Amino acid sequence: TSSVRASVVRPDGSVAAMHRRPFPPDIPFPGLVEFDASNLAAVVLDLATAALADAGPVDAVGITNQRASTIVWDRATGVPVAPALGWQDLRTVGDCLVHQAAGLRLAPNVSATKLTNLLAGAGADRDLCFGTVDTWVAWHLSGGLLHVTDPSNAGLTGLLRHDGSGWDLELCDRLGIPPAVLPEIVDSTGVVGSASALPGRPLIAGIAGDQQASLIGQSCVERGAAKATFGTGGMLDVCTGQQRPEFETRGGAGCFPVVAWRDRAGLAWGVEAVMLSAGSCVDWLCDDLGLITSRQESDTLAASCDATDGVVFVPALLGLGAPHWDHGARGSLLGLTRGSGPPQIARAVLEGVANRGADLLEAAEGDSGLTIDRLRVDGGMSVNATFVQALADACQRPVEVAPLVESTTLGAAYLAGMAVGTWGGWDDVTAAWSPRQVVEPGASLDRDRWRDAVGRAKAWYPELSAIDF
């Protein structure tokens, strides 16, 4: 969402070269999130070329990306018709509510209503292409020859059939989306073309959305294996294998069914639970409250006290995701006394995010029907020792810390590498898992007090709490 990376991965899973550049979205007005797609493509090509210059030629290219961000461009010129709409963009909330009243449930964070918005402004009688970020990157890597996506990304557009078998053309017709604008859906692992824009013209052989790539990168490719990514927000995904979750859109515990990947054997599925605020709460401590001067300092400050002394923080800065889905909930800091200082508040914030992680785990178990006996973690907060221990304590499960902070890198590499023989298959991916650290649970956090605190944070804005996508 906020940066672009290009990495070269060796057959042993180590990273030979990595180039990164910040690429934050534009926010012209609260709720509007845009980015310059042409500039994004230029940055991708620049960083990929630099990584190849550092590490030499590669056998294949894998693409992983923020999901549901929406780009529309002219097929002949390759020029976008308007700024791309980021996944966080909320300009189509009203459209979603209108559709809901007509019996069609669409969320503003998926691509469907963003696409109709962009098409409406593009003018008639134009030969246009739609794509999420993976599609746009593949188009540019291939010199405009490939217009493709994979099921893990297609599923987050809101336009994929519930069984994952292809585009829902009836839904597209209801939304006024011409089938001709849609990309071809290809396997997540498999050669689809040549990256002719890069030195050596390596094969494009892997595509996956970021959370699915993180799932694969942490070797969670067997039924019941689960990972959580704690970045700005938090996502917990559990692999359910070839068995699709029984619910179509959202389960009773608030999770979503997702396509984990597709290969020659068919579709693999997962269940995804979402929290809306994770690392952003540490940003709040740093940038807004000024209690710390860097994100890393949250660990040191929180570790300087043994307990929160009754202080509880509910990380609902943007509302609550699974299992509650309360858009009107707001962040709460409870149990303060004159003895509550920066260490207690910092620890309460980290424990609050950890408790929400345990909520996601419980929700994923409830909606998948599976028992998750251990949790693998990556993302920026995975380097925070106090947080990781709190997560193990809240979940009462071992927590295995990924060797790379961004496991999406390995996931994209595995998908591309399996297609060209670098790895023999999913068994090799499973065997490649080597956590940087395993953290065992200690004393359990007070989950009853936590649930009481969440109840107090809910429905702070009842009119927003009444909205359910």
Side-chain angles (χ1 to χ4, degrees), residues 339-366:
S340 305
Q344 287 77 22
I345 292 173
R347 177 173 281 274
V349 166
L350 298 182
E351 289 188 0
V353 177
N355 270 307
R356 284 291 292 129
D359 291 348
L360 299 191
L361 186 144
E362 291 171 0
E365 287 187 327

Side-chain angles (χ1 to χ4, degrees), residues 82-166:
L85 303 187
W87 66 274
Q88 300 157 309
D89 190 274
L90 296 177
R91 72 188 67 198
T92 62
V93 165
D95 298 331
C96 292
L97 294 176
V98 170
H99 289 309
Q100 190 176 103
L104 183 60
R105 292 182 67 88
L106 291 168
N109 60 295
V110 303
S111 303
T113 55
K114 301 181 195 300
L115 175 54
T116 57
N117 179 279
L118 289 173
L119 290 174
D125 302 322
R126 297 181 65 182
D127 188 5
L128 301 176
C129 296
F130 151 67
T132 43
V133 171
D134 58 307
T135 305
W136 180 243
V137 170
W139 171 278
H140 279 271
L141 289 176
S142 67
L145 294 181
L146 290 176
H147 184 210
V148 297
T149 189
D150 90 302
S152 73
N153 279 292
L156 270 292
T157 66
L159 300 172
L160 191 70
R161 294 194 192 106
H162 290 310
D163 63 1
S165 60

Side-chain angles (χ1 to χ4, degrees), residues 87 90 232-234 250 273-281 313-332 352-353 356-357 359-360 450 453-469:
W87 66 274
L90 296 177
T232 302
R250 195 169 82 195
V274 178
M275 61 184 294
L276 304 176
S277 301
S280 58
C281 299
F313 175 75
V314 181
L317 305 182
L318 296 171
L320 287 168
H324 314 283
W325 288 108
D326 184 346
H327 296 285
R330 284 298 177 266
S332 303
V353 177
R356 284 291 292 129
D359 291 348
L360 299 191
W450 164 252
V454 170
R456 295 168 187 262
K458 293 176 71 172
W460 192 255
Y461 295 105
E463 65 278 11
L464 293 178
S465 297
I467 297 174
D468 182 17
F469 296 110

Side-chain angles (χ1 to χ4, degrees), residues 41-360:
V43 170
V44 167
L45 292 174
D46 186 34
L47 296 182
T49 301
L52 289 170
D54 281 355
V58 296
D59 296 320
V61 174
I63 300 168
T64 183
N65 54 285
Q66 56 168 272
R67 304 170 303 180
S69 292
T70 304
I71 307 163
V72 174
W73 66 95
D74 187 287
R75 191 182 301 272
T77 65
V79 176
V81 302
L85 303 187
W87 66 274
Q88 300 157 309
D89 190 274
L90 296 177
R91 72 188 67 198
T92 62
V93 165
D95 298 331
C96 292
L97 294 176
V98 170
H99 289 309
Q100 190 176 103
L104 183 60
R105 292 182 67 88
L106 291 168
N109 60 295
V110 303
S111 303
T113 55
K114 301 181 195 300
L115 175 54
T116 57
N117 179 279
L118 289 173
L119 290 174
D125 302 322
R126 297 181 65 182
D127 188 5
L128 301 176
C129 296
F130 151 67
T132 43
V133 171
D134 58 307
T135 305
W136 180 243
V137 170
W139 171 278
H140 279 271
L141 289 176
S142 67
L145 294 181
L146 290 176
H147 184 210
V148 297
T149 189
D150 90 302
S152 73
N153 279 292
L156 270 292
T157 66
L159 300 172
L160 191 70
R161 294 194 192 106
H162 290 310
D163 63 1
S165 60
W167 296 117
D168 187 335
L169 298 183
E170 181 180 346
L171 174 59
C172 289
D173 183 62
R174 289 183 65 181
L175 296 174
I177 297 171
V181 309
L182 301 173
E184 177 188 1
I185 301 175
V186 299
D187 286 350
S188 309
T189 176
V191 175
V192 294
S194 173
S196 57
L198 296 179
R201 301 173 62 91
L203 299 172
I204 300 172
I207 302 173
D210 53 4
Q211 298 309 316
Q212 290 91 333
S214 175
L215 189 75
I216 295 164
Q218 294 183 73
S219 300
C220 296
V221 296
E222 297 181 327
R223 183 172 167 83
K227 69 84 190 171
T229 298
F230 293 94
T232 302
M235 304 272 192
L236 189 148
D237 295 78
V238 56
C239 178
T240 63
Q242 293 183 329
Q243 184 174 333
R244 189 198 186 281
E246 295 180 357
F247 46 94
E248 283 196 352
T249 54
R250 195 169 82 195
C255 301
F256 300 98
V258 294
V259 176
W261 66 81
R262 191 180 81 188
D263 61 10
R264 285 179 295 177
L267 293 168
W269 293 88
V271 164
E272 184 168 282
V274 178
M275 61 184 294
L276 304 176
S277 301
S280 58
C281 299
V282 179
D283 294 341
W284 173 68
L285 286 177
C286 181
D287 300 335
D288 301 298
L289 292 189
L291 289 185
I292 52 178
T293 58
S294 69
R295 281 74 177 155
Q296 295 77 15
E297 194 180 328
S298 65
D299 182 15
T300 306
L301 182 60
S304 68
C305 64
D306 294 328
T308 67
D309 297 334
V311 179
V312 178
F313 175 75
V314 181
L317 305 182
L318 296 171
L320 287 168
H324 314 283
W325 288 108
D326 184 346
H327 296 285
R330 284 298 177 266
S332 303
L333 192 60
L334 306 169
L336 294 170
T337 69
R338 282 293 302 274
S340 305
Q344 287 77 22
I345 292 173
R347 177 173 281 274
V349 166
L350 298 182
E351 289 188 0
V353 177
N355 270 307
R356 284 291 292 129
D359 291 348
L360 299 191

